[in-house]
Amino acid sequence: EYPYLASQFRRLTDAFVFEPADRQPYPTYRFLRNVRYPSGLTTNSFGWRGPEVALNKPAGRIRIAFVGASTTLDAHGDPFSYPEYVGRWLQVWATTRYPSVSVDVINAGREGVLSNSIAAIVRQEVLPLHPDLVVYYEGANQFWPNDFVARPLERVLRVLGGGSSLVERSAIAARI
């Protein structure tokens, strides 16, 4: 019925399926491990952006995990994300002040995820590595104008007489 789609599926050689560890719907996805994507993103053995991180945290190591969406992950083609910059600055600071201390940075960000996925990423993936600090930076994906603007405005327009007279007199009401 759809010959174009059928021909495209015949070309499919690899299919990857992700199932969260606790069989819940979150996180919604993860990146493949130890891969360099065509977009420029390179992942470590945990599927996170950034350098390799040891499973067992060595003595004298401070481990900071950054979680969020695209603001944390950053553009795939960029050489560094803000967590990597923070890690570098902290390591320089630690080296000059506390030579026996080193810093690990985990960037577990994934674009497009909501807070329920971020919470699952922390619970399932990040906490087993015993971070000393988890930095959460996100919120934009959680709030869409339609979720909190459109419905109340529609009600206001209905209360004001169906909105037709208001729409005729107001460019803003017409756009809404």
Side-chain angles (χ1 to χ4, degrees):
E1 187 174 332
Y2 300 98
Y4 173 76
L5 287 177
S7 69
Q8 295 304 307
F9 284 118
R10 277 194 288 272
R11 294 181 194 175
L12 185 64
T13 57
D14 294 322
F16 300 97
V17 178
F18 169 69
E19 187 171 328
D22 62 2
R23 307 257 192 247
Q24 297 299 309
Y26 303 106
T28 51
Y29 76 97
R30 71 173 300 141
F31 292 115
L32 296 173
R33 299 168 187 208
N34 297 312
V35 171
R36 178 165 174 81
Y37 287 89
S39 62
L41 176 67
T42 301
T43 60
N44 61 22
S45 62
F46 290 98
W48 300 325
R49 177 182 184 147
E52 203 54 58
V53 180
L55 176 61
N56 297 314
K57 184 171 69 172
R61 176 118 357 135
I62 296 172
R63 186 167 280 174
I64 304 171
F66 291 82
V67 295
S70 59
T71 51
T72 299
L73 180 68
D74 217 339
H76 291 196
D78 286 355
F80 304 103
S81 62
Y82 88 84
E84 291 165 286
Y85 282 116
V86 170
R88 173 75 177 129
W89 295 330
L90 286 173
Q91 187 58 57
V92 168
W93 175 80
T95 300
T96 59
R97 303 240 178 168
Y98 306 97
S100 63
V101 173
S102 61
V103 178
D104 271 347
V105 169
I106 294 169
N107 183 345
R110 293 181 200 152
E111 61 258 290
V113 294
L114 302 178
S115 60
N116 43 17
S117 279
I118 296 169
I121 290 166
V122 170
R123 195 174 48 255
Q124 296 173 23
E125 301 173 27
V126 172
L127 288 181
L129 275 73
H130 304 289
D132 297 293
L133 177 68
V134 176
V135 178
Y136 178 102
Y137 178 51
E138 180 44 43
N141 292 337
Q142 203 74 29
F143 302 104
W144 291 95
N146 185 44
D147 293 341
F148 58 91
V149 173
R151 290 181 191 99
L153 288 175
E154 288 171 8
R155 275 184 248 141
V156 168
L157 291 174
R158 271 191 235 113
V159 168
L160 293 174
S164 61
S165 62
L166 189 59
V167 168
E168 292 167 4
R169 295 182 186 156
S170 168
I172 293 173
R175 288 182 180 168
I176 292 171

